[in-house]
Amino acid sequence: MTGELSPIDKAKFVAAKRAAEFVEDGMRVGLGTGSTAAWLVRCLGEMVREDGLKIRGVPTSSRTAELARDVGIDVISLDEARWLDLTIDGADEFDADLSLIKGGGGALLQEKIVATASDQMIVIADAAKEVGHLGSFPLPVEVIPFGWQTSQALIEETLVSMDVMGRKTTLRMNGDRAFVTDEGNFILDLHLGRIGNARQLAMVVNQIPGVVENGLFIDICDQVVIGYGDGRVEVRDINAGTVSEDRLDFVEEENLFSDLGD
C-alpha cells in the first residue's frame, strides 16, 4: 500500500498515476517494461476494472504481457494493433532534450519498435533519472549471439573516435550465464561515463555488424512525467515547450497494491 512505499516507489507511483490520465477509452497503448512501467500497468488495470476503461495494450516484454493480463488489460500484438495511439514507458536516464537511455530491463529492442510505432511516447520516471548529460547509466547494446565477442571488439574500437569518457564494455550476465533477451540475443553494456554526441553514437554503433539495436532513444519521447517522493508530479512537453506541476494525494488502494510485487 502507498503508506508502506519508499520515497522512490512513491515517486514512481505518482508519475505512473499521472501518466495514466493521458489514456482514453478505445486507445491502443504501448506498455513499457521495468519497475516504473509496472506501476503504470497496475494503474491502467485498476481503471479497466473499476472505471470500465476499454483499451488494448501492446506489451514490450513477456514480463509486461503477463502483468497486463493479470490486471485485466486486453493484450494484443503490435502486428494486430498495426499502429498505436500512445506508448508509456520508463527510462534509465533522460536529459533536457528528452533524449533517453533505455534497456536496463533488457527489453530495449521491443521498447524502441513499439515507441516508434506510436503517435506519442510518454516517459514516466522519478526525478533521479534526470541527468545533465547521458552516459552515467551504462548504455545497453543488443547483439546477436553469433560472434558477439567480435561485435564487442568492433564497438570498443569504434568508441575510440567517439565523444565519450569511458570505453569499457561488459557482457550482461544472468547468474553465471549470459543474459538473453526475449528475441534470444545478448546485451553488451557500454560504460561510457558521459556521452557528448548521443545522436552520432547511436547511428555509428548501429552500423557495426552483429549489433541489433542500441538503447539511445533520440527524438522519440514527446513528454516526460516526473514523480517526486512527496507526491509532486511535473509534466514536460518537448513539442509544446510547456512545463506543468501537480500534486497527487496518496490513498490506500487495495486492488492496486495487493499481491503485485515488482
Side-chain angles (χ1 to χ4, degrees), residues 34 36 48 51 64 68 111 116 126 129 133 135-136 140 172 176-177 180 192 198 210 222 238 242 246 257:
T36 310
V48 168
D51 304 327
T64 297
E111 288 173 335
T116 53
D126 59 88
K129 298 298 193 300
H133 296 278
S136 293
R172 186 176 299 184
D176 59 353
R177 297 184 178 184
V180 178
L192 307 177
D222 298 286
I238 193 71
T242 58
D246 198 359
F257 298 100

Side-chain angles (χ1 to χ4, degrees), residues 96-160:
D97 296 324
L98 302 195
S99 295
L100 320 170
I101 285 183
K102 289 180 52 57
L108 66 98
L109 179 57
Q110 288 191 27
E111 288 173 335
K112 188 172 282 190
I113 292 172
V114 169
T116 53
S118 306
D119 287 337
Q120 184 178 193
M121 181 194 189
I122 297 177
V123 160
I124 48 178
D126 59 88
K129 298 298 193 300
E130 183 172 12
V131 295
H133 296 278
L134 298 177
S136 293
F137 190 91
L139 174 65
V141 176
E142 187 160 342
V143 298
I144 65 170
F146 175 81
W148 72 265
Q149 290 176 310
T150 299
S151 299
Q152 182 181 30
L154 290 170
I155 290 171
E156 291 175 346
E157 182 179 332
T158 299
L159 290 176
V160 173

Side-chain angles (χ1 to χ4, degrees), residues 22 47 51 71-72 80 82 89 99 127 153 165-166 192 236 249 259:
F22 289 97
M47 294 166 67
D51 304 327
V71 300
E80 291 174 292
R82 298 182 64 86
D89 202 349
S99 295
M165 284 184 62
L192 307 177
R236 300 181 194 172
D249 294 327
D259 301 321

Side-chain angles (χ1 to χ4, degrees), residues 22-33 40 44 55-61 64 73-89 109-122 217 220 222:
F22 289 97
V23 178
E24 300 176 2
D25 211 48
M27 276 188 169
R28 293 159 295 180
V29 183
L31 305 173
T33 295
L40 181 277
L44 291 178
I55 60 171
R56 288 177 291 173
V58 175
T60 54
S61 68
T64 297
I73 296 174
D74 182 17
V75 172
I76 60 173
S77 69
L78 183 57
D79 288 335
E80 291 174 292
R82 298 182 64 86
W83 193 259
L84 305 177
D85 300 288
L86 174 66
T87 287
I88 305 177
D89 202 349
L109 179 57
Q110 288 191 27
E111 288 173 335
K112 188 172 282 190
I113 292 172
V114 169
T116 53
S118 306
D119 287 337
Q120 184 178 193
M121 181 194 189
I122 297 177
F217 284 50
I220 296 176
D222 298 286

Side-chain angles (χ1 to χ4, degrees), residues 108-258:
L108 66 98
L109 179 57
Q110 288 191 27
E111 288 173 335
K112 188 172 282 190
I113 292 172
V114 169
T116 53
S118 306
D119 287 337
Q120 184 178 193
M121 181 194 189
I122 297 177
V123 160
I124 48 178
D126 59 88
K129 298 298 193 300
E130 183 172 12
V131 295
H133 296 278
L134 298 177
S136 293
F137 190 91
L139 174 65
V141 176
E142 187 160 342
V143 298
I144 65 170
F146 175 81
W148 72 265
Q149 290 176 310
T150 299
S151 299
Q152 182 181 30
L154 290 170
I155 290 171
E156 291 175 346
E157 182 179 332
T158 299
L159 290 176
V160 173
S161 61
M162 294 290 100
D163 184 8
V164 296
M165 284 184 62
R167 297 193 295 272
K168 179 182 177 182
T169 67
T170 56
L171 176 68
R172 186 176 299 184
M173 303 297 291
N174 182 17
D176 59 353
R177 297 184 178 184
F179 175 89
V180 178
T181 69
D182 280 355
E183 290 75 35
N185 297 319
F186 293 166
I187 288 183
L188 296 173
D189 288 312
L190 280 51
H191 304 266
L192 307 177
R194 180 182 182 277
I195 299 172
N197 189 331
R199 189 183 305 276
Q200 179 190 46
L201 180 63
M203 293 177 62
V204 170
V205 167
N206 273 12
Q207 300 305 309
I208 296 173
V211 170
V212 181
E213 189 54 82
N214 70 83
L216 285 167
F217 284 50
I218 313 295
D219 297 333
I220 296 176
C221 178
D222 298 286
Q223 295 186 67
V224 60
V225 180
I226 307 167
Y228 296 84
D230 61 0
R232 287 182 297 125
V233 181
E234 183 179 316
V235 180
R236 300 181 194 172
D237 188 319
I238 193 71
N239 300 312
T242 58
V243 179
S244 61
E245 190 168 304
D246 198 359
R247 183 183 295 272
L248 299 184
D249 294 327
F250 293 115
V251 294
E252 301 294 342
E253 299 185 61
E254 296 287 350
N255 291 339
L256 186 59
F257 298 100
S258 61

Side-chain angles (χ1 to χ4, degrees), residues 10-22:
K10 288 180 181 178
K12 293 177 180 180
F13 168 69
V14 295
K17 191 75 170 176
R18 178 65 179 85
E21 296 176 9
F22 289 97

